[in-house]
């Protein structure tokens, strides 16, 4: 835990006030550049393209028929569903419309009906993550059922199979992602059928039922059982893998915040997030998630503006001695795998190394 203390300083009250106003100053710069304005043309194009892409894939699926060539269709569907999930993520963060109601319904249609992921489940989990990224006891994204990403989780008593898996989790990280798609669908169903506050529960149940039952029926009508099971395994496996490799670099291996530590908003979001350096092709492939720092600072910023905002935020953080982490894609995966491997092996001081690694890979750093 000492790894984040050099970046977080105890300040007098007047200095703390200046620190709290730091984000306000940055927000004014971003707003002045017009980077928070809506991009209706961009998003309407995607909203029209999403159901059309699914329809084209399903028509092709039916026309191709009962053949092993359908495994290519499964791979294409995995990519299409992931891209639609990214679009649903944008809507859930109020990036598309001013109206919260419109954004909610778009998220439900995209997530529940087209992808098979509950918007209510995602919202409940993701909102807490954004409020306190990588903070023990607050961020659900660091409390994973299989992979241990904190020393606290790794130190808990587990059954022999889980203990063995944790000891080898660095090696098994990418193979485990192949099961993420199945896990996302299962978590979604569990959320809508269990007790607890959930707005539009019946709409979500209806859409998830149509998506999951209808999809399975179609697959087994068109394909023979053997090909159908392999088709589903490929589609679900690649969907989960794609989702996993898009989200994993964002925070894994970044500092973990102790339960009793309080940080101002700017540092809480920047220090725990990692950007992935790359071209516009990478922007499309990762759905804008490669600009994780900017996304956490301005969750409602439309995706097309993130690339323009990044150099502004980086320069501002550098001026204010706030570490801004940016690495290449493969470097990020290497950092994540090494980090979770150390956690799984029970190393106590796993919090200091990530910052050192970020500095060695990063082209921009502060503080």
């Amino acid at each position: 835990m000492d790894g984040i203390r050099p970046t977080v300083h105890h300040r007098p009250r007047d200095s703390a006030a200046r620190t709290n106003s730091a984000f306000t100053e940055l927000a004014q710069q971003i707003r002045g550049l017009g980077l928070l304005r809506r991009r209706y043309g961009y998003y309407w194009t995607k909203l029209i393209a999403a159901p059309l892409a699914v329809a084209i894939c399903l028509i092709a699926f039916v026309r191709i028929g009962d053949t092993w060539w359908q495994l290519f269709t499964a791979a294409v569907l995995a990519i299409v569903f992931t891209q639609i999930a990214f679009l649903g993520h944008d809507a859930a963060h109020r990036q598309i419309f001013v109206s919260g109601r419109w954004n909610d319904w778009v998220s439900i249609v995209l997530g529940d009906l087209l992808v098979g992921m509950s918007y209510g489940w995602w919202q409940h989990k993701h909102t807490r993550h954004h409020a306190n990224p990588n903070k023990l006891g607050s961020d659900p994204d660091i409390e994973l059922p299989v992979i241990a990403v904190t020393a606290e989780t790794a130190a808990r008593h587990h059954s022999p199979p889980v203990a063995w898996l944790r000891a080898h989790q660095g090696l098994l990280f990418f193979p485990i992602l192949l099961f993420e798609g199945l896990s996302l669908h299962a978590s979604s169903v569990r959320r809508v059928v269990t007790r607890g506050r959930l707005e539009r529960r019946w709409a979500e149940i209806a859409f998830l039922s149509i998506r999951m039952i209808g999809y399975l029926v179609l697959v087994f009508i068109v394909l023979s059982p053997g090909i159908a099971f392999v088709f589903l395994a490929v589609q679900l496996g690649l969907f989960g893998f794609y989702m996993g490799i898009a989200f994993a670099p964002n925070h894994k291996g970044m500092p973990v915040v102790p339960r009793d530590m309080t940080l101002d908003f700017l540092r809480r979001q920047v220090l725990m997030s990692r950007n992935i350096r790359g071209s516009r092709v990478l922007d499309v492939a990762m759905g804008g998630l490669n600009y994780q720092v900017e996304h956490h600072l301005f969750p409602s910023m439309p995706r097309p503006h993130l690339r323009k905002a990044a150099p502004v935020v980086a320069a501002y953080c550098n001026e204010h001695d706030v570490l801004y982490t940016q690495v290449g894609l493969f470097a990020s995966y290497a950092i994540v795998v090494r980090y979770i491997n150390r956690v799984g092996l029970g190393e106590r001081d796993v919090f200091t190394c990530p910052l050192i690694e970020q500095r060695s890979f990063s082209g921009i750093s502060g503080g």
Side-chain angles (χ1 to χ4, degrees):
M1 297 178 184
D2 294 336
I4 60 174
R5 288 176 183 164
T7 317
V8 182
H9 306 284
H10 296 287
R11 304 167 185 259
R13 184 165 298 180
D14 59 338
S15 180
R18 288 195 297 272
T19 297
N20 290 332
S21 67
F23 174 71
T24 302
E25 182 182 341
L26 173 61
Q28 289 172 347
Q29 287 187 26
I30 293 294
R31 191 176 297 277
L33 292 170
L35 298 179
L36 296 180
R37 72 179 188 276
R38 305 291 168 176
R39 292 291 301 271
Y40 291 113
Y42 171 87
Y43 278 116
W44 271 117
T45 300
K46 284 187 170 291
L47 289 173
I48 293 170
L52 284 177
V54 173
I56 290 170
C57 288
L58 295 181
I59 291 171
F61 173 76
V62 172
R63 290 182 66 86
I64 292 170
D66 188 23
T67 168
W68 288 104
W69 289 105
Q70 292 283 19
L71 299 188
F72 289 100
T73 311
V76 172
L77 278 170
I79 295 171
V80 169
F81 288 148
T82 305
Q83 285 291 321
I84 294 174
F86 292 156
L87 184 59
H89 173 262
D90 289 0
H93 277 295
R94 308 297 193 258
Q95 294 177 21
I96 300 181
F97 301 108
V98 174
S99 168
R101 184 181 179 85
W102 274 59
N103 283 303
D104 286 343
W105 277 107
V106 166
S107 299
I108 290 173
V109 171
L110 293 175
D112 294 69
L113 184 60
L114 296 186
V115 180
M117 285 176 53
S118 165
Y119 166 60
W121 166 78
W122 179 91
Q123 184 185 46
H124 176 72
K125 178 175 178 288
H126 203 65
T127 300
R128 289 183 292 150
H129 159 71
H130 264 264
N132 290 285
N134 274 22
K135 185 169 184 177
L136 292 171
S138 300
D139 183 0
D141 283 3
I142 60 175
E143 292 291 338
L144 304 179
V146 178
I147 299 291
V149 296
T150 69
E152 182 179 279
T153 302
R156 294 172 187 164
H157 178 72
H158 300 286
S159 63
V162 174
W164 181 89
L165 189 150
R166 293 278 170 84
H168 298 83
Q169 63 180 13
L171 179 64
L172 298 174
F173 176 68
F174 288 108
I176 288 173
L177 293 181
L178 293 170
F179 297 94
E180 181 65 13
L182 188 60
S183 175
L184 291 173
H185 290 311
S187 297
S188 296
V189 172
R190 189 182 309 115
R191 173 64 177 161
V192 300
V193 300
T194 55
R195 292 183 178 181
R197 185 175 180 272
L198 180 65
E199 295 184 13
R200 305 180 181 91
R201 179 186 298 275
W202 290 108
E204 291 210 49
I205 290 175
F207 284 164
L208 279 177
S209 299
I210 293 171
R211 163 61 171 83
M212 293 186 176
I213 297 173
Y215 183 63
L216 288 175
V217 168
L218 178 64
V219 168
F220 281 95
I221 287 176
V222 173
L223 303 179
S224 57
I227 299 178
F229 280 113
V230 176
F231 173 90
L232 290 171
V234 170
Q235 188 267 297
L236 286 170
L238 292 180
F239 168 66
F241 187 83
Y242 189 178
M243 290 283 284
I245 63 173
F247 281 90
N250 301 343
H251 305 282
K252 303 295 184 290
M254 296 301 288
V256 174
V257 185
R259 296 171 185 271
D260 59 350
M261 178 172 283
T262 301
L263 301 172
D264 64 272
F265 181 79
L266 180 68
R267 285 166 175 78
R268 184 166 74 244
Q269 303 299 340
V270 175
L271 295 179
M272 315 312 156
S273 303
R274 177 192 295 114
N275 274 17
I276 307 301
R277 185 189 303 113
S279 66
R280 293 184 183 276
V281 174
L282 184 68
D283 294 356
V284 174
M286 297 194 71
L289 296 174
N290 46 320
Y291 299 106
Q292 197 65 197
V293 174
E294 289 70 31
H295 173 59
H296 265 256
L297 288 172
F298 305 98
S300 63
M301 179 182 289
R303 193 195 308 179
H305 292 160
L306 293 171
R307 188 177 185 87
K308 299 175 183 178
V312 177
V313 174
Y316 187 87
C317 289
N318 191 46
E319 292 172 6
H320 289 76
D321 294 329
V322 179
L323 180 65
Y324 180 101
T325 300
Q326 180 174 252
V327 303
L329 181 62
F330 294 106
S332 73
Y333 293 139
I335 291 168
V336 170
V337 170
R338 285 199 297 270
Y339 174 75
I340 64 173
N341 186 58
R342 289 198 302 270
V343 173
L345 292 174
E347 292 190 21
R348 288 180 173 274
D349 195 16
V350 294
F351 301 102
T352 57
C353 298
L355 281 178
I356 296 173
E357 290 176 348
Q358 309 307 320
R359 289 179 183 277
S360 65
F361 283 107
S362 178
I364 304 172
S365 65

